Amino acid sequence: MKRKKKKEVIMLKKCSIFIPLLIVFLLTSSTLLAHPTFYGTEGAYRTYSARTTEMGYLTFGLHGDYAFSDVAGSDSARHFGDINTFLGYAPIKYFELALLARIQARYYFIPYSEDVYEFAFKGLRPIVKLGLPVFRDTVNDVGFTLGATGFVNIPWHPITSTDSQMVEVGFIGNVQRQPSFGALFLADFDFNVMSMHFNAGSEGGASFRTEDIPSYIANTLPPPPAERRFLWGIGFEILTGPYVKFLFEAVGKHCEAGVSDTVWVTPGIRFVTPVGVTIDMGGDFAILTDMDFIPDYEYDNTINDYQLYINQRSKWRVFFGITSSSAIFAKPPPPPKATIAGKVTDEETGEPLSATISFPGAEPPLESITSDPETGLYKIVVSPGVYRFHVSKAGYRWVEKPVRVVKGQTEVEDFALQKKPKPKPPEEKKGILTGKVYAAKDKKPILANVTIVELDKKIVTDASTGVYKITLEPGTYTVKAEADKYVTDAKPGVVVRNKETTLQNFELNEKMVKGQVIVLRGIYFDTGKATIRPESYPVLDDAVRVLQANPKAIVEIAGHTDSVGSDSYNRGLSDRRANSVKNFLISRGVAYNRLQAMGYGESMPIASNATRDGRQMNRRIEFRVLSN
């Protein structure tokens, strides 16, 4: 048999004599404290509040709703509703109990004939709820509460005789079911005159007590099987006056395969009367196209089967409720209270401040409060007595003052805080490091990178002057100069002092490259001998410096002569002179294994031996770089 969806249905119709008596009892009960849901615990209509009823209070209520639909092709009409009566009680703080009893009313109007109707007890729903406040600002009346609720649906046995009559006129029959369980997580946000309720949870499916469905139901459209449902709800309560609240809800159920979802919205009004009675009224409106509020069926000739009857008139329903709560069990009178309020401001500008207000030595101890950041206002309710106020804020001098307050009065105490003087910023300690980077050979400036090793900070010298300059905190640094084609030089232990300028120059030597030939001009020997003249020492000292700057370089010291004299004589003379240079370099600290001496005589001229100038150029000592 085809089923489109399972429908949620509730309605209000005439009921038995106990209903007026219950209303009279509600009207004569004492002052209202809580505003319960249709289920008996505090909340809106069908969305639970995470808050609970005041401890020790007993809640009574009666709520009902009503929907109707016409019957296609006739003047008949179906009427449907639920009457919920409940009893709630909060035995301890943050904990609430309730018991809901549900009566179902079904009525079929037949013109010019006897109507068919039924009032049937549908079952009970015991409910437990726990709600814990997470945050509460009593000055601005802002809060956040979390809670949870659990319930059990205990269905009652349907009356077969009247239920079969209802099935004959198009209502879906009731089948005996097992109890089902459900639970919801709750959250409340309170913003002064507005409260928001959020519910989310699930409800188990209520399976049939027996596998055999009565024949009068099986031959039409039986109720849907047990399906687990995801329940959700969002509710808003807005206080629009001293006795009036506007309520709006959206609730729904997401069902498993085989049963369609239900979603409806509920606008309504809640009257909190001065005599202690709450009156609710409003309407439900189905959102989904394939749902309404009456569980009835029709025969569809196109499919030759029964299906749910969706009627536009039954896509809405109205409800009415009346509730009251009473302190049935006597509670001790509340301790006397008094109020201290005021404002915290900046002494100089008068601007409001968000300051921390504590109460040292208070008995019992009081929690610190904070003044409002926009207005500077604060408020606290305390027992009569004398309190020491300690008002503090970062960047301001704290203030203390004793405040005396008497029962039932409000003491106004304002506080003006003085800013602390701003501390003078510490004196910045800096020194200057400067110098010049130039070539050792010709003293020309070099474009180089100068690095402060400890700070990994690099600066570039001026290309035209070779000068660098940097500001540093006082300290000892290692300074390194690097340039292309030059040997890197590092100076450890360079001291920079506060408010002083430190000068550190760098003289860079050229890098030796394998295969490079360096002619040492200005080396002179005695005529026909290998004795080095003293005027040659500066040139040789420069050669020592270059070799020491390139500690891995191995060089050949090549001696050359002009063509005057025999070839064998010239080769021997050039070899002795090359070795004289080698020995001089060794005496100046150059490792002997880095030096090789070779005389080439007149075999490698670089100019013509026919002229005096050419012969002078051919008499020379060269460094040939063998490896670097």
Side-chain angles (χ1 to χ4, degrees), residues 189-206:
F189 294 90
D190 298 316
F191 304 95
N192 199 277
V193 298
M194 184 178 73
S195 295
M196 294 188 297
H197 314 303
F198 298 90
N199 297 180
S202 66
E203 178 183 10

Side-chain angles (χ1 to χ4, degrees), residues 469-486:
K469 184 178 181 181
I470 185 173
T471 301
L472 298 171
E473 293 182 356
T476 302
Y477 301 94
T478 300
V479 186
K480 181 173 63 176
E482 300 171 287
D484 190 29
K485 297 182 180 179
Y486 288 87

Side-chain angles (χ1 to χ4, degrees), residues 41-296:
T41 62
E42 187 169 352
Y45 297 137
R46 296 179 184 84
T47 53
Y48 294 87
S49 169
R51 300 187 305 271
T52 57
T53 304
E54 190 75 15
M55 183 179 69
Y57 273 74
L58 193 67
T59 304
F60 305 93
L62 171 67
H63 290 79
D65 41 41
Y66 163 76
F68 82 99
S69 69
D70 50 21
V71 178
S74 73
D75 295 329
S76 300
R78 297 188 185 99
H79 304 264
F80 185 86
D82 269 347
I83 301 170
N84 293 329
T85 62
F86 57 80
L87 180 67
Y89 179 59
I92 59 175
K93 197 173 184 180
Y94 309 135
F95 186 72
E96 196 172 1
L97 302 170
L99 180 64
L100 169 71
R102 181 186 172 197
I103 299 173
Q104 183 185 86
R106 295 186 287 183
Y107 183 85
Y108 187 75
F109 171 73
I110 307 173
Y112 315 110
S113 181
E114 184 177 356
D115 300 339
V116 180
Y117 61 90
E118 177 198 45
F119 292 95
F121 181 61
K122 291 294 294 180
L124 300 173
R125 174 184 280 192
I127 302 170
V128 295
K129 188 174 78 172
L130 175 69
L132 298 174
V134 178
F135 167 76
R136 175 62 63 181
D137 181 352
T138 57
V139 175
N140 298 291
D141 198 16
V142 176
F144 173 54
T145 308
L146 291 176
T149 184
F151 56 86
V152 182
N153 292 318
I154 305 175
W156 207 253
H157 300 304
I159 303 173
T160 304
S161 59
T162 56
D163 188 57
S164 61
Q165 292 179 351
M166 294 297 104
V167 173
E168 289 179 6
V169 295
F171 288 102
I172 296 177
N174 293 316
V175 180
Q176 295 185 24
R177 292 182 180 271
Q178 299 285 355
S180 61
F181 300 84
L184 292 166
F185 291 102
L186 316 174
D188 274 15
F189 294 90
D190 298 316
F191 304 95
N192 199 277
V193 298
M194 184 178 73
S195 295
M196 294 188 297
H197 314 303
F198 298 90
N199 297 180
S202 66
E203 178 183 10
S207 58
F208 298 151
R209 284 184 177 272
T210 61
E211 296 182 359
D212 296 331
I213 298 176
S215 58
Y216 69 88
I217 297 177
N219 293 332
T220 58
L221 183 65
E227 295 287 354
R228 179 172 293 278
R229 308 167 182 176
F230 170 73
L231 311 178
W232 63 268
I234 303 174
F236 297 87
E237 296 185 58
I238 302 174
L239 184 65
T240 58
Y243 304 117
V244 180
K245 280 187 176 183
F246 172 75
L247 278 68
F248 181 83
E249 287 185 334
V251 296
K253 299 180 181 180
H254 173 69
C255 306
E256 296 181 349
V259 180
S260 299
D261 296 349
T262 60
V263 179
W264 68 82
V265 296
T266 305
I269 297 177
R270 173 168 284 169
F271 298 97
V272 183
T273 68
V275 297
V277 174
T278 299
I279 299 173
D280 293 311
M281 59 182 61
D284 299 322
F285 299 88
I287 297 300
L288 303 181
T289 58
D290 57 347
M291 70 165 284
D292 62 12
F293 293 106
I294 297 183
D296 51 359

Side-chain angles (χ1 to χ4, degrees), residues 387 420 492 577:
Y387 296 89
K420 293 180 180 178
R577 287 179 172 179

Side-chain angles (χ1 to χ4, degrees), residues 277-355:
V277 174
T278 299
I279 299 173
D280 293 311
M281 59 182 61
D284 299 322
F285 299 88
I287 297 300
L288 303 181
T289 58
D290 57 347
M291 70 165 284
D292 62 12
F293 293 106
I294 297 183
D296 51 359
Y297 67 91
E298 65 177 350
Y299 187 80
D300 190 339
N301 292 318
T302 60
I303 62 173
N304 295 323
D305 204 350
Y306 292 98
Q307 64 176 9
L308 287 173
Y309 178 54
I310 306 299
N311 186 270
Q312 291 300 317
R313 292 181 179 273
S314 55
K315 293 184 75 65
W316 59 271
R317 62 186 173 187
V318 296
F319 60 81
F320 176 85
I322 184 168
T323 309
S324 183
S325 296
S326 300
I328 300 300
F329 300 98
K331 299 186 341 182
K337 293 295 182 183
T339 302
I340 306 174
K343 187 175 184 178
V344 183
T345 57
D346 184 296
E347 183 182 68
E348 181 179 353
T349 65
E351 294 292 323
L353 296 178
S354 174

